[in-house]
Amino acid sequence: MEVPVTIWTDHTAERPISLTAPSGIDRAAHHRLDEAWLAAAWSHPTTRCFVVSGGQVLIDETSDGRTELVMTPSFEAPLTEAHRYFLGTDEDGVSYFALQKDALPGRMDQSARPAGLREAGLLLSPRDAGLMVHAVALENWQRMHRFCSRCGERTVIAAAGHIRRCPACGAEHYPRTDPAVIMAVIDDEDRILLGRQVHWPEGRFSTLAGFVEPGESIEQAVRREVFEEAAVSIGQVEYVASQPWPFPSSLMLGFLARATSTDIEVDGDEIHEARWFSREELRDAFESGEVLPPYGISIAARLIELWYGKPLPTRSV
């Protein structure tokens, strides 16, 4: 019999995971089908918009050292009708739109630069990061789902970018999110299991992860993925937090998982190497540069920190 999941509610209260802090944006989904409201919102002088292209946006540094999305009033926006996506409103009633284009616009002052979510997500305010992750996820879905999966006809955009409709068979298609589990596996000696994927640079280690399969619970996915990738059996599974991860369309579900076995046998297809680390071993490996930590924007870093008990050490200079 499988051990049930225990819900944790306070692990990330003091330090929210990247891309999950409250953005202050109301997605206002009830307006997406109201064409008159959307037209009025787009024409309002306070409305702001930004361009997204290939998962990138323009960001800029302010005079006081902050990093912001480059946004313009709607009346200064590049021309686009079909690929204009309503993202929501803030507490002041300002509406925000993303414009999908084939390329980012140039900047006269040359100070702005293009950036993807892995870089910008660590620099932007919660508001701007929330707007960007919404826009990047929509853009990717729009680019990848232009044709009806039922009849093959080209679909058209509706609901301010949140639906694609098929004019031939009437099917409606919605943005796709693929659930994936990511887990810090802990053994009875309080060691953590970290692995290195085959395509990662030498020394890069992180938590194990994988997609939830059809007809599978998230608890089953945790146990299956760990066993497939490292041949380690899992008992108790405890939920920690989730993180939107539009690379291209995932939702990461983070867990702490208790190992009931410790012998490792990597699959060789996804995982090239896996090791158990004590806190002292991981600290020394980080500080020496033998092990590179996971990217700071990822929930993986926070899962490891929860076990480690404090922010992860960096390489000694």
Side-chain angles (χ1 to χ4, degrees):
M1 180 179 295
E2 294 183 347
V3 181
V5 158
T6 299
I7 302 300
W8 289 23
T9 59
D10 60 353
H11 281 319
T12 61
E14 294 184 1
R15 290 187 59 209
I17 295 168
S18 297
L19 309 180
T20 66
S23 66
I25 299 295
D26 178 358
R27 293 198 174 196
H30 58 288
H31 288 312
R32 292 174 185 166
L33 294 172
D34 189 338
E35 295 297 335
W37 187 94
L38 291 169
W42 178 252
S43 301
H44 199 278
T46 64
T47 292
R48 293 295 179 267
C49 62
F50 61 94
V51 174
V52 57
S53 180
Q56 291 192 317
V57 299
L58 287 178
I59 62 174
D60 206 351
E61 279 69 45
T62 65
S63 58
D64 58 0
R66 293 177 295 110
T67 302
E68 294 183 336
L69 273 176
V70 174
M71 289 192 274
T72 64
S74 55
F75 57 81
E76 295 180 2
L79 181 63
T80 181
E81 288 295 334
H83 297 281
R84 188 170 72 200
Y85 310 141
F86 173 60
L87 304 179
T89 61
D90 65 19
E91 59 184 9
D92 296 320
V94 176
S95 297
Y96 295 89
F97 289 81
L99 309 178
Q100 179 180 324
K101 303 289 285 185
D102 291 333
L104 294 174
R107 291 280 288 176
M108 294 294 291
D109 55 20
Q110 299 297 313
S111 65
R113 71 178 190 278
L117 196 54
R118 282 186 172 89
E119 175 192 0
L122 292 171
L123 302 174
L124 296 173
S125 68
R127 184 203 68 176
D128 285 5
L131 290 169
M132 182 178 177
V133 73
H134 190 176
V136 167
L138 278 180
E139 184 218 14
N140 174 74
W141 173 69
Q142 293 283 356
R143 289 186 185 276
M144 299 298 292
H145 294 82
R146 296 176 178 175
F147 297 91
C148 179
S149 58
R150 179 185 294 175
C151 71
E153 183 71 24
R154 180 178 286 274
T155 54
V156 296
I157 297 173
H162 294 77
I163 294 176
R164 292 192 74 101
R165 290 198 177 110
C166 179
C169 70
E172 289 190 345
H173 305 278
Y174 295 85
R176 176 175 174 174
T177 297
D178 300 318
V181 292
I182 183 167
M183 41 275 171
V185 178
I186 314 299
D187 72 358
D188 287 341
E189 297 180 29
D190 205 21
R191 300 178 300 174
I192 192 169
L193 177 66
L194 301 179
R196 183 166 71 84
Q197 292 192 16
V198 294
H199 61 274
W200 285 356
E202 188 72 28
R204 174 78 67 195
F205 279 79
S206 188
T207 52
L208 303 185
F211 287 103
V212 180
E213 293 187 346
E216 183 177 51
S217 71
I218 54 177
E219 297 91 335
Q220 291 169 333
V222 168
R223 296 184 174 95
R224 175 185 53 76
E225 284 289 344
V226 175
F227 192 80
E228 285 181 357
E229 295 183 351
V232 171
S233 298
I234 296 298
Q236 184 178 1
V237 176
E238 301 181 44
Y239 173 73
V240 176
S242 64
Q243 181 188 41
W245 196 248
F247 302 111
S249 56
S250 300
L251 175 66
M252 304 302 294
L253 307 169
F255 298 87
L256 296 179
R258 291 289 171 180
T260 58
S261 68
T262 57
D263 290 341
I264 296 172
E265 183 179 346
V266 297
D267 62 6
D269 295 322
E270 291 187 63
I271 302 299
H272 177 73
E273 180 182 5
R275 294 166 54 185
W276 291 104
F277 292 89
S278 68
R279 289 175 180 78
E280 294 74 19
E281 290 169 340
L282 190 62
R283 179 200 63 208
D284 293 345
F286 278 156
E287 291 180 347
S288 69
E290 176 190 355
V291 169
L292 304 175
Y295 297 105
I297 193 175
S298 170
I299 190 176
R302 292 301 313 283
L303 290 174
I304 299 173
E305 282 184 356
L306 287 175
W307 162 81
Y308 192 70
K310 56 185 176 180
L312 298 179
T314 57
R315 182 173 184 175
S316 300
V317 179

